[in-house]
């Protein structure tokens, strides 16, 4: 196989198939690590396209955007550049569940992605559609495209999103498409099945886009962003575009009546789409059918861009016929005269069931073939981008002879995401939630850099400038924390007067300033009254240090639990272990362990249906094998294994 142009390498290190969020993040990371990378996309004009909502972040998702940035990735930079509203969600709740969310200008975001993709050294872009994975000897060697071109590579990464045999539905009408206006990838599904991969069928929905000038915003509640707007990325100028408000309105009983009467015309309810949809981003049909007791549902009318004539009525994704979409919109306050520019639609598509993947996201049945993003059964831009970065790091490690990139569940949400997928699998589109992380207080959005920037630097993804900024911030954080531990105040007359004015009890003796943050009434304003120099430190540094003091006991407890889990992860399971030969294992346990082939006792414990008793059987069996030892610290024996 030879490349199609003399300027191309005869053999690429990596071919990335698909230029959505997973593909773009993977291509930028791999090329940045020195791998010759080919990015194949069906439509060059849609590189980095925000196919659904023009927004990035949200609960659980913003944590991964910050992790991508901490590793030297790009989603946070592109978001800052295109952000037209940024808000902190759950600002009044604990630090583990606070999250940033940015409304972005769709065209500016796409332009930023394309600019960086096309200017990246080692990165080549070709518009074509992949029809076949070439693996004549069982190992992946390249791809064949729809136009008959063949490209050779040491590794292939599939990031096809909703395009794998995609079909869109608008009521009773349906046609092959990966999204509205783009053709699906049809032949690739057959190629994957020939390689021995099992495919599933999932679906998702998007909302109708409406003409902005047809919306009566005066009838809605205004939803401003934060001032000043917070940023996602360490590098760059931050958020510089003019900030726009979003608007809130609600469905009405009339809306619900319209939808109830039309359920039989919805492809999700009349059997036209057999695959499951996303539980945590349900269609408006699902909301009305599943929650009939709710009198109304929120609709956030969001801008598509600074100059875009369209608006995005968030929270009403649908596959209903267009006439029903128009009728239900007109039943909503402020949308009585809304004009639909683009219909909402449902899209069904093939996925590679993720339990067939190794923790690196390489296909077990097809060495050299990797998958990332929605093809793995996830939903959301952020989940896709995190997987793209994860896969690229592991491909680099595999090709350069390094150990796999594998931070634990206590170190990154992206690790929770990947581990959930490959260990538990998913029978519906997976969405990241903070509740999926058992150590979520350790995985705050605010400490993503502390957790992952050293790993990104070690791999070679973090630039000198980003490392300098990180090092300076870490020095300031450690300095402030030390100062608050060492500086003490006594219950003297000035402090007595201050506490009396606050209406709070005076400390009984001398106390470190940092200890005062454990009292509910203490905030940074009151800390500055006692110690004015406190405000000399940057706001992010103050917020992180306050969190460390305020939640110290909880953090220490989670670190202790995480340490136990880490010891279990060190107890590796042999790749060639014949689980059918293990005495005492049930048929179910044998089937599940043989299917997932966990890398460690820790991963095995997270497989649904695998009990402590089953793990004990495996431990006893392995102890009888020569030169195999399970660390006693894992606590496996006697059913004591726990995480």
């Amino acid at each position: 196989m030879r490349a199609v142009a003399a300027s191309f390498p005869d053999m690429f290190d990596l071919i990335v198939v698909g230029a959505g969020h997973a593909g773009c993040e993977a291509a930028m990371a791999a090329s940045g690590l020195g791998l010759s990378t080919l990015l194949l996309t069906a439509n060059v004009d849609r590189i980095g396209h925000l196919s659904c909502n023009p927004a990035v972040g949200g609960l659980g998702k913003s944590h991964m955007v910050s992790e991508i940035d901490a590793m030297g990735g790009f989603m946070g930079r592109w978001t800052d550049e295109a952000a037209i509203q940024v808000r902190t969600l759950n600002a009044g709740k604990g630090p583990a569940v606070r999250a940033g969310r940015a409304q972005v200008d769709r065209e500016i975001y796409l332009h930023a992605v394309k600019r960086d993709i096309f200017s990246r050294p080692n990165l080549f872009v070709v518009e074509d559609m992949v029809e076949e994975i070439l693996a004549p000897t069982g190992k992946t060697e390249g791809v064949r495209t729809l136009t008959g071109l063949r490209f050779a590579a040491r590794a292939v990464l599939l990031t096809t999103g909703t395009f794998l045999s995609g079909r869109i539905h608008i009521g009773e009408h349906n046609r092959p498409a990966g999204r509205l206006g783009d053709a699906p990838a049809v032949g690739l599904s057959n190629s994957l099945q020939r390689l021995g991969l099992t495919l599933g069928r999932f679906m998702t929905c998007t909302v109708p886009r409406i003409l902005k000038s047809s919306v009566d915003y005066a009838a809605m509640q205004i939803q401003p962003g934060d001032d000043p707007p917070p940023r996602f990325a360490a590098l760059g100028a931050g958020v510089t575009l003019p900030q726009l408000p979003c608007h809130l309105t609600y469905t009405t009983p009339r809306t619900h009546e319209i939808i109830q009467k039309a359920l039989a015309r919805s492809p999700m309810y009349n059997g036209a789409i057999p695959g499951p949809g996303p539980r945590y981003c349900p269609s408006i049909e699902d909301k009305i059918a599943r929650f009939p007791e709710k009198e109304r549902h929120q609709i956030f009318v969001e801008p598509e861009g600074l100059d875009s004539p369209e608006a995005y009525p968030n929270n009403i994704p649908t596959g209903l016929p267009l006439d029903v979409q128009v009728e239900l919109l007109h039943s909503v306050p402020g949308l009585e005269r809304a004009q639909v520019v683009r219909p909402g639609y449902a899209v069904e598509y093939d996925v590679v069931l993720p339990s067939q993947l190794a923790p690196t996201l390489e296909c077990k049945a097809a060495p050299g073939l990797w998958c990332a993003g929605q093809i793995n059964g996830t939903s959301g831009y952020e989940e896709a981008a995190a997987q793209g970065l994860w896969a690229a790091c592991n491909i680099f490690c595999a090709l350069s002879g390094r150990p796999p990139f594998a931070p634990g569940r206590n170190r990154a949400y992206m690790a929770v995401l990947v581990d959930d997928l490959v260990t538990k699998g998913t029978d519906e589109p997976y969405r990241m939630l903070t509740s999926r992380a058992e150590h979520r207080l350790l995985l705050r959005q605010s400490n993503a850099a502390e957790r992952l920037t050293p790993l990104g630097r070690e791999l070679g993804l973090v630039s000198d400038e980003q490392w300098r900024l990180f090092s300076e911030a870490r020095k300031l954080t450690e300095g402030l924390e030390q100062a608050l531990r060492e500086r003490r105040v006594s219950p003297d007359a000035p402090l007595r007067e201050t506490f009396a004015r606050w209406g709070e009890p005076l400390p009984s003796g001398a106390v470190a300033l940092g200890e005062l943050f454990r009292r509910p009434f203490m905030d940074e304003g009151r800390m500055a009254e006692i110690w004015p120099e406190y405000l000399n430190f940057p706001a992010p540094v103050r917020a992180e240090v306050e969190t460390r003091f305020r939640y110290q006991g909880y953090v220490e407890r989670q670190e202790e639990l995480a340490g136990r889990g880490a010891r279990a992860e060190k107890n590796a399971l042999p790749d060639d272990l014949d689980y059918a030969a293990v005495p005492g294992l049930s048929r179910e346990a044998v089937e599940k362990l043989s299917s997932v082939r966990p890398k460690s006792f820790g991963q095995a414990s997270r497989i649904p249906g695998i009990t402590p008793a089953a793990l004990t059987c495996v431990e006893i069996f392995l102890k009888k094998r020569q030169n195999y030892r399970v660390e006693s610290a894992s606590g496996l024996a006697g059913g004591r294994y726990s995480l």
Side-chain angles (χ1 to χ4, degrees), residues 28 31 112-123 125:
M28 292 295 290
S31 57
V113 178
K114 287 182 65 177
R115 177 200 62 215
D116 289 346
I117 288 288
F118 278 100
S119 62
R120 190 73 159 176
N122 302 316
L123 180 54
V125 181

Side-chain angles (χ1 to χ4, degrees), residues 560-590:
E560 178 187 348
L561 294 173
R564 296 181 191 176
R567 290 193 293 272
E569 299 298 333
K570 292 180 180 178
N571 286 321
L573 287 167
D575 290 334
D576 62 349
L577 179 56
D578 181 6
Y579 290 100
V582 178
L585 283 185
S586 67
R587 181 177 298 178
E588 178 191 11
V590 170

